Amino acid sequence: MSRNVALAGAVAFTLTLGGCSGDGDSADERRPAGANSDAPTAGDGAPGGGSAIRNGPAYAGPALPGLTDKPLWSVAAGKEGAKVDTSTGKVTGPAEPRIVGNTVALVRTELAANVPKSTPAPGADTIVGDWNTVELRDAESGAVRATVNLRGRIVAGTWAGKPVLYAVYTEKTASDGLSTAKRTTVWLALDENGREAGRAALPEDSDADTTETVVDGWVVRTVHDGSKATVNVRPAQGGSAGVTVEHNIADFDGGKDRQIFGGLLFSYDKADKDGVKHLVATDIATGQRKWTTASVRKPAGTPEASTTSGHAPAIVRMIGGDKIVIAWDAGSKGSFSFATQWGLYDLATGNLVHEGPRITSGYYRAIVDREESLMFVAAGTGGEVRTTAWDLRTGRIVWQQPKEGELPIESFVVVNGALYASKRGYSPSGSMNGDNPRAGDPLVVDARTRKVVLPEGVPGELFPRMTADGHGLVSTRDGIFVFGAKPLA
């Protein structure tokens, strides 16, 4: 049986999905409904401040730099967040938030004890606990844009570059007495208003060496065969055979060798005479090679070649939908080094837009502000972690922590000009999510000047999760709280 690996967005090919998994019947049986009658009502919670939403829990935590003093709206969490539909007797669990663009999706899983063990459906079975009730709420007002019932695992992602909420579930088609039973994994994508943005149905393969997933509206199929791995990427809704690339298993890199950005597949070519693997950008729709790192301009400080076997330039992340950051080996020719030299490149042409910082450690975390104008790179391990601020619009290094004279700070999230960080090194490992609730010795500084805003910071579990328009979400045992933007003066 094939394994279906879920991906949110188009940065890496592994991500643990939220919600519950299971088999189910057709998504056509999902039951969209109108706005809930218990939607939060805005009292004085207007943008810029005001009282908490009526009927929602009050926020009792510390002030959050970059956000309004009080939440614009809130909903209960924990046991108090469970719901009972008095008309059906259906009970759903507490809400788990997902951010989809400017929408907050509250996902409540139906409790297994309240779901029929089997619901008749042509050629399909309903598995206990497979349904989720999802409220899509406007981040500003908390008003319910749509309520939908979705099967399977629920995760935020993108489809054609736009934010969506994926429901990933399995359909079973019973044998008719002659044919074999079949299983199909369905990826259903909904936009911020609960409308279907796309769908992919992937028949499960009995070959355990075959995996399929959906990335930004593309189906990625990987087949391992002996010493070879074959990757095919095609449109999820058909219309093209897509593009196929092959890799030697020894060089196969799990996810970095098959990334998708803006309709381009980035994979690695065979290592050259110096042992360097180069990135190749291929147009998925046409199969045309667009550019390769073997021929683009490298940032200053990048050696012509490295003798480190298998070394390859790595994509850090996409910026603004039309650029990518690439980290190049910056060690001396003929010697091993973890140092990398970063550059910002035009996605379509491979042209170097700006040279970036030199990062001296192989362990780093890179985050950006909401406008994607500043990148903060925390690199190093333990007490040696230091952060660098890079202006992506000008290429200028805004600030860089010195090795001496300052406590190390590790950056985690930017909140409307406020950089939430930790003064205790956590050994970042290249993760791009900038989210670590275990962050110790917190600190908040001005993102542009490094001036201390809040010396004691806020607890790591209260580091906000940001919407596309600058609202911040905090989830505690008491509730889910959504704050408005209040940029630093």
Side-chain angles (χ1 to χ4, degrees):
M1 182 181 298
S2 68
R3 294 162 290 161
N4 287 274
V5 183
L7 174 79
V11 175
F13 273 71
T14 56
L15 178 68
T16 302
L17 292 174
C20 69
S21 63
D23 301 334
D25 55 9
S26 170
D28 292 337
E29 287 196 4
R30 67 186 189 279
R31 301 158 292 195
N36 269 7
S37 60
D38 64 343
T41 55
D44 300 321
S51 65
I53 289 296
R54 293 195 301 268
N55 301 328
Y59 176 70
L64 302 171
L67 298 176
T68 50
D69 297 336
K70 295 182 180 181
L72 302 181
W73 58 275
S74 64
V75 296
K79 293 181 180 180
E80 291 74 20
K83 284 195 168 187
V84 179
D85 187 324
T86 56
S87 63
T88 64
K90 181 180 68 175
V91 180
T92 53
E96 293 289 340
R98 310 279 191 276
I99 290 179
V100 186
N102 295 324
T103 298
V104 176
L106 300 180
V107 181
R108 292 183 171 90
T109 301
E110 287 190 26
L111 302 182
N114 302 284
V115 181
K117 291 185 180 297
S118 178
T119 300
D125 293 322
T126 300
I127 302 301
V128 169
D130 197 36
W131 279 105
N132 302 279
T133 299
V134 181
E135 295 173 352
L136 295 158
R137 294 179 181 254
D138 182 81
E140 172 73 16
S141 66
V144 178
R145 294 181 175 182
T147 300
V148 293
N149 289 315
L150 299 175
R151 226 180 260 300
R153 301 167 292 179
I154 309 298
V155 63
T158 62
W159 188 285
K162 296 182 178 180
V164 297
L165 192 70
Y166 280 109
V168 187
Y169 58 93
T170 301
E171 289 181 340
K172 293 171 59 179
T173 302
S175 170
D176 61 5
L178 180 62
S179 63
T180 57
K182 297 178 181 178
R183 295 166 62 93
T184 301
T185 299
V186 177
W187 291 67
L188 172 67
L190 302 183
D191 67 14
E192 296 179 64
N193 295 304
R195 296 186 294 259
E196 182 171 330
R199 179 193 298 257
L202 312 179
E204 291 194 352
D205 197 301
S206 59
D207 186 354
D209 291 325
T210 298
T211 62
E212 281 193 317
T213 188
V214 174
V215 181
D216 196 37
W218 304 95
V219 175
V220 181
R221 180 181 177 86
T222 304
V223 180
H224 293 80
D225 182 13
S227 62
K228 181 177 65 176
T230 302
V231 178
N232 172 261
V233 182
R234 66 186 188 276
Q237 295 179 308
S240 168
V243 61
T244 300
V245 295
E246 292 185 354
H247 297 270
N248 186 303
I249 289 291
D251 297 329
F252 201 58
D253 201 9
K256 294 180 180 179
D257 46 22
R258 45 191 173 125
Q259 300 178 81
I260 297 173
F261 301 97
L264 298 179
L265 169 65
F266 285 84
S267 58
Y268 284 119
D269 225 340
K270 294 180 179 179
D272 63 17
K273 59 182 178 60
D274 294 302
V276 179
K277 296 187 295 181
H278 284 286
L279 281 166
V280 177
T282 305
D283 188 310
I284 301 172
T286 66
Q288 178 186 5
R289 277 194 172 200
K290 303 294 289 186
W291 56 274
T292 170
T293 53
S295 58
V296 302
R297 180 184 161 199
K298 300 177 182 179
T302 305
E304 287 302 312
S306 168
T307 57
T308 304
S309 177
H311 167 74
I315 297 176
V316 177
R317 63 172 297 151
M318 183 164 66
I319 299 295
D322 60 356
K323 298 177 182 66
I324 56 174
V325 174
I326 297 179
W328 296 79
D329 172 49
S332 301
K333 185 176 180 180
S335 65
F336 181 82
S337 172
F338 283 117
T340 52
Q341 181 68 47
W342 293 26
L344 181 66
Y345 286 81
D346 182 85
L347 181 62
T349 65
N351 291 335
L352 178 64
V353 178
H354 292 304
E355 295 183 346
R358 179 186 174 93
I359 303 302
T360 57
S361 171
Y363 297 96
Y364 61 81
R365 174 185 289 109
I367 64 171
V368 294
D369 60 3
R370 179 169 58 88
E371 298 81 11
E372 297 193 350
S373 61
L374 286 176
M375 174 174 280
F376 301 87
V377 186
T381 59
E384 298 303 315
V385 173
R386 295 292 187 275
T387 292
T388 298
W390 176 27
D391 191 319
L392 295 166
R393 294 178 178 173
T394 67
R396 184 171 64 94
I397 302 301
V398 180
W399 52 264
Q400 192 165 33
Q401 279 199 283
K403 291 183 178 180
E404 303 292 339
E406 277 191 9
L407 293 173
I409 63 171
E410 181 182 353
S411 49
F412 284 97
V413 63
V414 187
V415 181
N416 300 310
L419 178 64
Y420 285 58
S422 168
K423 291 177 284 186
R424 180 188 303 167
Y426 177 67
S427 183
S429 57
S431 171
M432 298 303 139
N433 59 16
D435 179 18
N436 174 31
R438 297 185 301 277
D441 292 337
L443 173 76
V444 180
V445 301
D446 186 299
R448 279 214 167 261
T449 66
R450 205 159 85 252
K451 180 181 179 181
V452 176
V453 174
L454 199 62
E456 301 304 320
V458 297
E461 61 269 19
L462 295 181
F463 284 6
R465 296 164 56 185
M466 302 302 293
T467 66
D469 57 0
H471 290 80
L473 181 150
V474 171
S475 183
T476 72
R477 292 181 179 180
D478 298 323
I480 296 168
F481 305 90
V482 178
F483 295 79
K486 186 180 177 181
L488 294 187

